[in-house]
Amino acid sequence: MADLKYLARLIFQETLAGINIPAAMQRKVRVAGTMLHCGEVTLDLRSFSQTRVVAIGKAAHAMLEGLRNTLPASLKFDGVASAPTPPAHPLPGIKYFVGGHPIPNEDSWVSAEAVLSLLAQCDESALVFFLLSGGGSALSELPLDSRLTLQDVQQFYRTLVTCGAPIASMNAVRKHFSAVKGGRLAAAAGRATKITLAVTDVPADQESALASGPSLPDPSTTADVERVLAEFQMLDKFPPSVRRCVEEGKIDETPKEWDPAFAKAHFVLVLGMDDLFHRAHFASEAKGFWTCCDNSTDDWPVEKAAEDLLGQLRALQAANPSRRVAIIADGEVSSPVTGNGIGGRNSAFVLACVENIVGRRVAVLSAGTDGIDGNSPAAGAVADGETLARAMSVGLDPGEAFRRSDAFTFFARLNDAIVTGPTGNNLRDLRILLSEP
């Protein structure tokens, strides 16, 4: 059974290696002579006198590296990058900021000011690349109402992330209060040609949710904002300055798809859910597992998702009694914080499986492709049919750890936490469930 845990770790590591961002950028962005081929868009670089780059998100540094390696060395560009960590290899011409996540910090604020200043210099001769990835909402932020302070914005964000609203509802509110979200960066770049390159942790057809859609048309409306504020009773929790914006009717509408800002705007997906599934499926089958992929448990409560996926694994094993089998799932599960422990939704998912796989030849791994799981230093965890017995032998109780939201501590004691450090990527969480006869 230890062998299955090892194989689960290998599949995860090989999946991470297979979603290398600079390599993916070079597949999606090519230059032949003076012609730039980007997705289905072809542009002549001689048409532009200036190139600007805005990189926001957990994958900002890797995306910048990929773009720099793709464009001709003779093509110089200026830009702004905001990521959770400083760059290992800074590029000339780029102003770097270490933004806050999930709550904006001072660098988040200053980076947004730098982006707006950069885009204000653009005209129809400019080519602007927006490099977007997960986590971008907090990493670069500036309020639309100049009366709001950084402290106001931080309290505003704390209210949003703890109110229990779905991510789409939170984004609708964020976009309408922000000077840099919901298409407003596209508007700030005026008549420039804009290309958005995305490494996305959001479902297909919801691209405007990525980093709160700074360069894309916003489908949400002020009516949506009013409904969300009322439904989740947020107004009384906001700082007085934010409440005043609402009461004075100063929530401006965001740019929509017919806005002139999007006349020369293009969107190209660099990496998404399908890439994650494809790489994990390939790695699993290469290890000899009959593999099925499933994303039906996305956004489910952690215990319900665990029950469902383990049920799918049992059914797949029963249908293939002589073969090793695997279920690969992605997306995010919901794991409310109920204690003051250390952990996140990935280690909580594995913890929810521990008592249901006792004595079985099964391994379960769940980890974030960004290398971060909640407030822990790990990406996630792995367990097998022997985990409960090992835990009890050292005085660990999985139920108690789950109630205290302390899954990382539980698995760290067993050397079953998965620690990668920040990967510089951010597709989605990956769950790997393995079984053998």
Side-chain angles (χ1 to χ4, degrees), residues 371-408:
I372 301 167
D373 187 34
N375 64 352
S376 80
V382 63
D384 64 13
E386 296 179 351
T387 295
L388 181 61
R390 292 175 55 228
M392 293 177 66
S393 72
V394 293
L396 293 173
D397 179 348
E400 178 63 20
F402 192 88
R403 286 188 292 274
R404 291 188 289 107
S405 300
D406 202 25
F408 167 75

Side-chain angles (χ1 to χ4, degrees), residues 299-313:
D299 217 22
W300 283 22
V302 61
E303 292 169 294
K304 182 183 177 184
E307 179 183 2
D308 183 88
L309 290 173
L310 286 173
Q312 290 189 47
L313 187 69

Side-chain angles (χ1 to χ4, degrees), residues 21 54-64 80-87 96-101 108 111 115 130-141 181 197-201 210-212 214 370 372 422-427:
I21 289 174
V54 176
I56 303 172
K58 295 178 181 178
H61 300 320
M63 295 185 77
L64 272 169
V80 176
S82 187
T85 57
Y96 290 94
F97 299 89
V98 180
H101 185 272
S108 303
S111 73
V115 169
F130 292 103
L131 312 182
L132 303 182
S133 54
S137 293
L139 291 170
S140 190
E141 180 62 291
K181 296 180 175 23
L197 298 169
V199 172
T200 178
D201 61 344
L210 179 65
S212 296
D370 59 357
I372 301 167
T423 63
N425 206 326
N426 190 39
L427 288 182

